[in-house]
Amino acid sequence: MQDNIQDFECDRVGYSYKTRGRTVTESDIVVHAGQTGDLFPIHLDAEAAKASPYGQRIAHGTLTLSIAVGLKFTTDPTMGLRISYGYDRVRYRKPVFIGDTIHCEVEVTKSDIDPQRPNMRRIIEQTTVMNQRGEAVLSIDHILVRWL
């Protein structure tokens, strides 16, 4: 199938947006630890975390990733239906602390007909999660697909 004009602006290479922010709480960390079973002391034990290089408790990397997924979620009908296909190049770049407010900065870096499924478009959104200090704390390539 030939690559027709892209119907959705959000699928075009170069399209970018910034999400709203969300503050990470102690409750977020405790609930995530319980859901995942990751009870590592640097997340839950304030005294043990003081002895770490960070000097305080940090959010799980997977919690930061989960929050980022939620921040990117939209019900905007002008974006049509895109399905998450997965994530590549997940990098936890800096710690996220209790009280940090994070948001996502997103840019479409690739948008092509899927070579294995010619009835689908594959879109890659390079996503950087930023904290309130302007530091990148997580970077991921989010792969989405859309039926043509």
Side-chain angles (χ1 to χ4, degrees):
M1 175 180 265
Q2 137 182 1
D3 190 359
N4 296 325
I5 297 173
Q6 296 173 345
D7 295 327
F8 295 93
E9 179 184 5
C10 59
D11 290 351
R12 294 184 186 135
V13 172
Y15 177 81
S16 64
Y17 64 96
K18 180 178 168 180
T19 69
R20 69 189 189 285
R22 184 178 182 292
T23 302
V24 177
T25 67
E26 181 178 19
S27 295
D28 292 327
I29 293 171
V30 171
V31 168
H32 189 77
Q35 289 174 331
T36 63
D38 181 347
L39 306 175
F40 197 74
I42 199 157
H43 306 303
L44 300 173
D45 184 332
E47 291 304 310
K50 280 183 189 176
S52 78
Y54 304 117
Q56 60 182 304
R57 289 175 287 169
I58 62 172
H60 304 73
T62 52
L63 172 60
T64 303
L65 176 59
S66 297
I67 291 171
V69 169
L71 290 171
K72 288 179 73 241
F73 177 75
T74 181
T75 57
D76 181 352
T78 65
M79 295 181 87
L81 177 63
R82 300 187 308 168
I83 306 296
S84 182
Y85 184 69
Y87 302 91
D88 281 344
R89 300 185 329 164
V90 178
R91 299 294 181 266
Y92 303 112
R93 298 170 64 181
K94 286 192 176 271
V96 173
F97 302 110
I98 295 168
D100 277 355
T101 298
I102 59 175
H103 71 273
C104 299
E105 296 180 4
V106 183
E107 181 179 356
V108 174
T109 57
K110 190 170 184 182
S111 181
D112 295 311
I113 301 301
D114 188 316
Q116 297 172 5
R117 292 175 294 243
N119 64 329
M120 295 185 117
R121 173 171 294 287
R122 185 181 289 200
I123 302 114
I124 298 179
E125 291 184 338
Q126 187 176 62
T127 303
T128 304
V129 180
M130 306 292 291
N131 64 20
Q132 74 278 8
R133 293 178 294 280
E135 301 167 327
V137 298
L138 171 71
S139 57
I140 55 175
D141 285 347
H142 188 184
I143 305 161
L144 301 127
V145 292
R146 179 192 303 283
W147 282 271
L148 300 174

